[in-house]
Amino acid sequence: MQEDKHEAIMELAKRRGFFWQSYEIYGGVAGFYDLGPLGVRLKEKIISLWREFFVKKHAHIVVEIETPIIAPARVFEASGHLEHFTDPIVECLKCGRKFRADHLIEEKLGIKAEGLSIEEMTKIIREHDLRCPVCGGPLSDVKLFNLLFKTTIGPYSSNTGYLRPETAQGMFVSFKRVYEVSRKRLPLGIAQIGRVARNEISPRQGMLRLREFTIAEIEFFFDPEEPVSDDMFRELLDQLPRRKIRILTVEAKKKGEEKPFEINIEEAIREKLILTPWLGYWMTVAQEYMHALGIGYDEMYFDEKAPEERAHYSAQTFDQLVRVSRYGWIEVSGHSYRTDYDLSRHMRYSGEDLRVFKQYKEPLVVKKKHLLWDKAWIGRTYRSRAREIFEALSRMNPEEVLKQLEEKGYLEIAGAKIPKDKIKIVEKEEKITGKRFIPHVAEPSFGVERILYAVLDHAYTVKDERVVLKLPRLVAPIDVAVFPLVKDENIIQVARKIWLSLMNNGFYTIYDEEDSIGRRYARVDEIGVPAAITVDYQSLEDNTVTLRDRDTWEQVRIRINNVVDAVRDFLRGASLDDIKHKYG
RNA sequence: GCGGCGGUCGUCUAGCCUGGACUAGGACGCCGGCCUGCCAAGCCGGAGAUCCCGGGUUCAAAUCCCGGCCGCCGCACCA
């Protein structure tokens, strides 16, 4: 049955036009999927709900941008992807098989090869005359296999560009400008929804592992010393219907635990199970988001990744797992604490100062010990070496100097001996108006196509041998269907008028007069249309129509004048009873 | 990339082992018409298949053989 459900979903997806494999007429290419008419609508609604949860509801701390898919090589040198997203491989010149070069060297020679350059590895292979482990043929030079898609920018082949494997770098690279236009406030979340590409070696599992897909993510920048004020955090948490999340920590796994446990988010942060409040906060929002998409709280949890499982930039990562029928627990989002890794790398590679300055509410007055030395005496005594001595002195810690002077009566520095009476230590008040630092980053990152699959998996139900796609009303690709009960000219006229008015009021609407009414209900149930308006003979007499609920198949009568408002309320979650009382 | 299994109308499938009567059968869906007073009713008619692609064997290939592509499962890989 579990297997059948997956098959049934894939079949439904193809048959009704949610998605299918790309380039079908050319035999297909692994890792690429087309979205059909319904798939596009569903995806758009999933994305707009994401935007609702993560951007709109946080408009005071999150802004959204859009950056290119193609970036110059330098960006991925800085990000570490060219280095870490790459595997060194050698090819057998005889049989054509490919091997991980570093693994081969380690395996055959016991030499640690990880991190060596391709030249070094090639040299080792030549020196030891390593050959193909399968056929014994000679090996090629070590080459890099990179999961980044490569391209050329402009007419010069030397100008290499890469397709981004994540949208994140766009936010880091443009951080300074976005920070500027956001009036230099922290915390600041920069969101982006966009396509990414990864040249996976062997993608499988349909929509779950694609070579090109859509990511929705936030790079959330904050001050690591004061991530968030108590007031702000309380206010944010108060907006959430639920503060508990289910997590499975690395620590718990070490103890043999396999099941997640439930914990209050504040407690998890306090207990340092989650390293920064923001990571925890966005995980909680992620939980609400998936819940709004029809996933039960007990059908998801956050799985902490062990250090060796984490990406190179991450200090802590939780994967949000959701249960689906075929594959068990699948990852729909990743929550990483990227620290200041990315910004500091881009600082180094670009030479731009990406630190932010934070002014204290009141300047800090610090008493600080300063060294004063007798420049005249040192100059006279050491002449040309004086400058060097001054510099060395300025680097000294006053406490250290004090200690030496107490013990020995003089200070030995840069080959010079300075007597106690030539050095003075004074305490000075210093005003510190603020600090300059590299913000830290918490990143919630969602794979949209995976969410789409998970949503379908959870929405798929069978009722009386009919498929009913119980998509949450908010994300259903089609909002409402309009049917004349039978093909009666008068009824059709009324129905078409209602259909047009719904369409013109912003609803995705289906009108259908073919076949029996039952068959039409069945058709729209199968693609998850939440509401159906049916015009019947009574409509002609009293100007009412019925509104049918996809999930219960129950109907209420409402006045024709109220159809638009009733549908709007219904899609926002109103019950049939409410609709009846308000619009009946 | 390795190993196993598979690929036939839009969808699901029969046929393949044992080559020929296959003009490739069925169901659902789709299109046209009739009918229909609320949950895939019925009747009539119709369209729809490079049998994944390429090569080979044979008088003859959906069927046998080889290579490729794609899918699923296991291994490897998976920022």
Side-chain angles (χ1 to χ4, degrees):
Chain A
M1 178 61 212
Q2 297 263 297
E3 290 262 321
D4 290 347
K5 189 172 175 183
H6 172 264
E7 298 289 332
I9 290 167
M10 298 308 280
E11 187 263 322
L12 177 69
K14 259 197 277 191
R15 190 163 45 78
R16 298 303 306 269
F18 283 94
F19 54 81
W20 54 82
Q21 203 183 13
S22 300
Y23 310 112
E24 275 183 319
I25 67 164
Y26 289 105
V29 183
F32 297 96
Y33 268 76
D34 288 357
L35 287 182
L38 293 176
V40 167
R41 296 285 317 119
L42 179 57
K43 180 176 172 183
E44 194 219 288
K45 289 203 167 184
I46 286 171
I47 287 175
S48 92
L49 196 67
W50 188 88
R51 195 173 265 127
E52 191 75 32
F53 271 72
F54 287 88
V55 183
K56 280 195 194 162
K57 284 185 180 172
H58 295 90
H60 56 311
I61 47 173
V62 177
V63 296
E64 185 178 344
I65 65 167
E66 188 175 300
T67 67
I69 288 174
I70 297 169
R74 197 89 177 127
V75 169
F76 294 116
E77 282 168 24
S79 74
H81 284 92
L82 273 173
E83 186 185 343
H84 296 282
F85 217 58
T86 302
D87 294 335
I89 55 168
V90 279
E91 187 176 354
C92 171
L93 297 173
K94 199 169 139 202
C95 71
R97 286 188 174 83
K98 288 178 178 167
F99 306 93
R100 274 286 291 265
D102 50 346
H103 290 184
L104 196 66
I105 290 169
E106 286 184 34
E107 200 177 297
K108 296 282 166 193
L109 304 171
I111 300 171
K112 266 223 154 237
E114 209 182 330
L116 295 182
S117 71
I118 52 171
E119 290 81 13
E120 286 168 322
M121 281 192 261
T122 304
K123 209 175 138 200
I124 292 174
I125 287 173
R126 296 283 170 263
E127 276 171 3
H128 293 82
D129 194 30
L130 271 187
R131 304 184 80 83
C132 173
V134 177
C135 76
L139 296 173
S140 71
D141 285 357
V142 177
K143 282 175 270 189
L144 294 178
F145 178 77
N146 201 304
L147 266 52
L148 295 173
F149 275 101
K150 196 172 182 175
T151 187
T152 304
I153 302 176
Y156 303 102
S157 58
S158 62
N159 195 359
T160 302
Y162 294 93
L163 276 63
R164 60 185 180 186
E166 55 173 16
T167 65
Q169 296 310 320
M171 286 82 119
F172 295 127
V173 169
S174 58
F175 168 72
K176 205 176 171 175
R177 174 128 262 144
V178 180
Y179 181 63
E180 184 77 29
V181 300
S182 306
R183 302 177 67 183
K184 297 187 179 182
R185 279 184 301 217
L186 285 188
L188 171 67
I190 308 182
Q192 179 163 204
I193 299 159
R195 271 179 110 74
V196 301
R198 301 175 183 187
N199 203 359
E200 299 282 357
I201 295 169
S202 63
R204 254 184 288 187
Q205 300 182 311
M207 293 286 276
L208 299 185
R209 194 137 164 248
L210 299 172
R211 287 195 164 116
E212 200 185 310
F213 58 102
T214 303
I215 279 183
E217 64 188 353
I218 294 179
E219 303 309 319
F220 197 81
F221 300 86
F222 60 89
D223 176 354
E225 282 175 20
E226 306 167 82
V228 59
S229 72
D230 290 346
D231 285 349
M232 179 187 266
F233 207 55
R234 194 174 321 113
E235 195 175 273
L236 286 169
L237 286 178
D238 282 347
Q239 304 291 312
L240 294 171
R242 192 183 161 95
R243 296 191 187 183
K244 285 178 183 165
I245 56 167
R246 302 203 316 143
I247 63 174
L248 180 55
T249 59
V250 168
E251 198 56 35
K253 279 191 257 188
K254 273 189 199 153
K255 289 177 186 157
E257 193 56 62
E258 284 168 8
K259 287 189 179 140
F261 54 91
E262 197 168 70
I263 188 166
N264 186 291
I265 189 67
E266 290 149 293
E267 192 187 333
I269 293 163
R270 202 166 50 236
E271 300 288 326
K272 306 266 185 232
L273 299 181
I274 298 173
L275 295 181
T276 163
W278 286 113
L279 197 63
Y281 175 71
W282 291 115
M283 282 159 66
T284 317
V285 176
Q287 170 176 261
E288 288 313 320
Y289 171 61
M290 290 311 294
H291 188 253
L293 289 173
I295 316 291
Y297 288 119
D298 55 349
E299 292 173 304
M300 56 175 139
Y301 72 93
F302 294 91
D303 184 58
E304 188 184 5
K305 307 316 284 181
E308 64 273 14
E309 299 173 312
R310 292 196 296 254
H312 59 275
Y313 48 69
S314 174
Q316 184 178 39
T317 296
F318 286 91
D319 282 348
Q320 184 181 24
L321 304 184
V322 166
R323 195 205 297 278
V324 295
S325 54
R326 172 67 161 265
Y327 302 104
W329 295 99
I330 62 161
E331 178 196 338
V332 292
S333 73
H335 300 259
S336 292
Y337 181 24
R338 297 180 77 132
T339 66
D340 61 359
Y341 177 86
D342 299 275
L343 283 185
S344 40
R345 294 274 297 193
H346 284 300
M347 252 175 99
R348 193 174 333 145
Y349 279 74
S350 68
E352 285 281 329
D353 186 358
L354 300 178
R355 291 177 304 169
V356 303
F357 178 76
K358 182 174 162 189
Q359 191 170 359
Y360 296 140
K361 285 196 184 76
E362 302 206 350
L364 279 184
V365 182
V366 207
K367 282 188 183 158
K368 224 179 157 183
K369 290 193 170 109
H370 278 263
L371 283 183
L372 286 179
W373 48 90
D374 190 333
K375 287 180 180 168
W377 182 86
I378 294 173
R380 254 185 278 119
T381 315
Y382 291 100
R383 301 272 164 185
S384 61
R385 285 171 53 210
R387 171 191 284 260
E388 188 193 332
I389 295 166
F390 292 163
E391 278 172 11
L393 277 165
S394 66
R395 284 196 297 269
M396 288 297 290
N397 174 358
E399 301 290 345
E400 192 78 4
V401 173
L402 201 65
K403 212 171 123 197
Q404 265 201 53
L405 290 177
E406 296 290 321
E407 283 170 9
K408 296 194 269 187
Y410 60 87
L411 177 72
E412 224 175 318
I413 188 163
K417 264 189 194 177
I418 321 254
K420 194 174 177 178
D421 64 318
K422 303 300 178 206
I423 297 181
K424 252 200 296 192
I425 292 175
V426 295
E427 220 172 35
K428 267 210 306 202
E429 281 199 350
E430 230 175 69
K431 234 192 201 174
I432 302 174
T433 57
K435 61 171 179 176
R436 220 172 272 283
F437 65 94
I438 304 175
H440 276 217
V441 169
E443 175 202 72
S445 172
F446 295 77
V448 176
E449 286 78 1
R450 286 185 173 192
I451 293 174
L452 191 147
Y453 177 81
V455 166
L456 282 178
D457 186 81
H458 280 255
Y460 188 95
T461 63
V462 177
K463 181 175 184 178
D464 296 354
E465 310 216 348
R466 280 165 39 173
V467 174
V468 181
L469 208 54
K470 295 193 174 177
L471 292 167
R473 292 174 193 171
L474 281 172
V475 296
I478 309 291
D479 296 312
V480 56
V482 179
F483 303 136
L485 183 64
V486 291
K487 269 190 188 170
D488 174 292
E489 255 325 301
N490 297 318
I491 291 178
I492 285 173
Q493 249 179 37
V494 176
R496 291 187 71 88
K497 232 170 121 183
I498 293 173
W499 165 56
L500 285 173
S501 106
L502 282 167
M503 217 162 37
N504 288 324
N505 275 281
F507 298 105
Y508 276 88
T509 313
I510 278 181
Y511 171 82
D512 192 357
E513 60 183 40
E514 305 296 332
D515 299 313
S516 73
I517 187 70
R519 188 186 296 251
R520 282 176 274 158
Y521 286 142
R523 266 204 291 261
V524 295
D525 281 348
E526 191 181 46
I527 57 170
V529 183
I533 302 292
T534 304
V535 180
D536 55 18
Y537 287 99
Q538 191 181 329
S539 308
L540 302 177
E541 285 158 23
D542 64 3
N543 285 315
T544 64
V545 291
T546 63
L547 188 158
R548 170 187 181 268
D549 177 2
R550 172 198 68 199
D551 297 338
T552 61
W553 298 357
E554 279 167 27
Q555 292 173 300
V556 293
R557 289 205 87 85
I558 55 172
R559 274 167 279 134
I560 287 177
N561 292 341
N562 292 333
V563 166
V564 168
D565 290 333
V567 168
R568 186 174 292 126
D569 281 11
F570 183 74
L571 290 176
R572 286 180 184 158
S575 70
L576 276 192
D577 273 350
D578 294 345
I579 301 284
K580 190 174 162 189
H581 286 128
K582 208 163 160 193
Y583 303 110

